[in-house]
Amino acid sequence: MSGFGDTPSGARRADDGWEERDVAAGWWIVVGTAVVALVLLVAALGCRVRRGSVPAGAAATLPVALGAAAVLVALACGVFALVADDGALGSTDAPVLAWLVGHRTPAWTGVAETASLLGGTVGTGGLAVVSAVVLWWRGRPARAVVWVVAVLVGSLTIRGLKGAVERPRPPVATRVTVETSTSLPSGHSLMAVLGLGLTVAAVLALLPPDSRRGGARAWTRAATVLVGAVLAVGIGVSRAYLGVHWTTDVLAGWLLGGALLSLALGCAVLLEARAAEIHPSEGVPAPPLR
């Protein structure tokens, strides 16, 4: 399916039949993501948690999570449509890449290389798995399982879409580092949002409650969220700066990672609330009778 948004406007293949097949294949990705967004939206509107089975706040969490995921997937669908129409290179990708290449400095290149190295899919995904282990150890098994499943789904999403889209990366001459896989979506960006988001959520969930230091706790939470957001954005930007991803690759990764993060958080809250109803003293299901 190569050719999905890989040529600038006017630079078409000589074989019109192949070009038409590539464009058609690209639009199937757009249709697929649109269907996913629609399913999530319908699920959000039709989601009902049995009244009295969980606290009201937790019952409202899943529809909100589904709705947020639907919006993010719909936006990602728009990015895929822009790429499939081949308009991304001329309107966004090529100009941004040219600007970044023209403003590179040794210092910023070093920062970008470090962010890209440490913020790889293994690094950020592994960090989320480590946070899952800590959650399990601290008596939050439902959330821990959701974390691991979310990282697995994120990895499969990256591999599946890269294989389906097969969008070539920017020209070799613009790349600072060597990459051999396809370009869309940016795996670094997707897993940065998902992995770091899950890690931040784990930290917030494990912060000890202390009513006497509410102000300090609020600042700690805000700082934790801010650090995670800055790192996720920085990792994505580093990939475009290094010339190994188009801007739309990074944007699609952020949006899809955010959708998966929203779903994971919604499921975790709902599962923990149900577990607390079964065994209120510990928030986990009671052991089976012997």
Side-chain angles (χ1 to χ4, degrees), residues 205-269:
L206 295 175
L207 283 177
D210 187 353
S211 58
R212 295 172 299 176
R213 299 180 62 186
R217 189 173 66 253
W219 276 106
T220 301
R221 292 178 180 275
T224 302
V225 173
L226 179 62
V227 169
V230 169
L231 290 176
V233 171
I235 290 170
V237 171
S238 74
R239 301 301 285 170
Y241 177 91
L242 295 174
V244 293
H245 273 296
W246 301 105
T247 310
T248 43
D249 301 336
V250 174
L251 182 57
W254 280 336
L255 292 170
L256 294 173
L260 292 173
L261 175 62
S262 178
L263 291 175
L265 295 178
C267 290
V269 171

Side-chain angles (χ1 to χ4, degrees), residues 47 49 55-67 262 265-270:
C47 183
V49 178
T61 298
L62 189 57
V64 171
L66 289 169
S262 178
L265 295 178
C267 290
V269 171
L270 186 62

Side-chain angles (χ1 to χ4, degrees), residues 107-118 234-235 237-239 241-242:
W108 280 115
T109 299
V111 172
E113 288 178 322
T114 301
S116 182
L117 177 63
L118 299 179
I235 290 170
V237 171
S238 74
R239 301 301 285 170
Y241 177 91
L242 295 174

Side-chain angles (χ1 to χ4, degrees), residues 72-73 75-77 79-80 83 121 154 157-158 161-162 167 183-195 232-233 235-236 239 245-261:
L72 292 170
V73 173
L75 292 174
C77 175
V79 175
F80 281 115
V83 176
T121 55
T157 300
I158 294 169
L161 287 176
K162 280 182 177 288
R167 186 190 196 190
S183 194
L184 182 67
S186 166
H188 278 65
S189 301
L190 189 155
M191 195 58 74
V193 172
L194 179 60
V233 171
I235 290 170
R239 301 301 285 170
H245 273 296
W246 301 105
T247 310
T248 43
D249 301 336
V250 174
L251 182 57
W254 280 336
L255 292 170
L256 294 173
L260 292 173
L261 175 62

Side-chain angles (χ1 to χ4, degrees), residues 5 7-9 78-79 81-83 85-101 167 170 240 245-252 254:
T7 55
S9 300
V79 175
L82 182 63
V83 176
D85 190 47
D86 219 15
L89 282 171
S91 62
T92 303
D93 286 330
V96 173
L97 178 62
W99 187 89
L100 290 172
V101 171
R167 186 190 196 190
H245 273 296
W246 301 105
T247 310
T248 43
D249 301 336
V250 174
L251 182 57
W254 280 336

Side-chain angles (χ1 to χ4, degrees), residues 41-56:
L41 180 59
V42 171
L45 296 175
C47 183
R48 294 290 185 272
V49 178
R50 186 167 56 88
R51 184 173 298 179
S53 62
V54 295

